[in-house]
């Protein structure tokens, strides 16, 4: 999935906002990331594509499954707009 990285400093957690209009999306357009997270505070609001899987046994504070990341690709804004 791809979207915009958001860092929650109070929870020390990375989130991926993949749908600005979540509508009927059961995950509300964002997932908490776990696993391979090669990010720094400078990556906040960067566009990335992550590969991995939803992990039903790891849930966030809202009891949604976390997304276990195995690979990260950084996306240029022009590439993201064409998707």
């Amino acid at each position: 999935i791809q979207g915009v990285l958001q860092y929650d400093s109070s929870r020390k957690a990375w989130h991926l906002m993949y749908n600005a209009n979540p509508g009927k999306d059961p995950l509300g357009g964002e997932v908490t990331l776990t696993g391979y997270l090669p990010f720094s505070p400078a990556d906040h609001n960067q566009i990335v594509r992550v590969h991995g899987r939803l992990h039903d046994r790891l849930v966030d504070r809202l009891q949604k499954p976390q997304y276990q990341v195995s690979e990260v690709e950084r996306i240029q804004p022009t590439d993201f707009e064409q998707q």
Side-chain angles (χ1 to χ4, degrees), residues 7-67:
Y7 185 67
D8 181 343
S9 59
S10 65
R11 291 189 167 74
K12 296 182 175 30
W14 286 99
H15 301 269
L16 186 70
M17 313 302 276
Y18 62 86
N19 189 346
N21 300 305
K24 296 180 182 180
D25 185 333
L27 299 178
E30 65 93 15
V31 290
T32 300
L33 302 176
T34 188
Y36 176 65
L37 305 175
F39 309 126
S40 72
D43 292 316
H44 181 74
N45 285 329
Q46 295 297 308
I47 300 167
V48 297
R49 179 177 298 129
V50 295
H51 301 272
R53 66 181 181 97
L54 284 174
H55 198 297
D56 293 331
R57 293 189 185 149
L58 294 175
V59 295
D60 66 12
R61 64 185 173 83
L62 300 175
Q63 300 303 304
K64 298 186 308 185
Q66 294 185 18
Y67 194 86

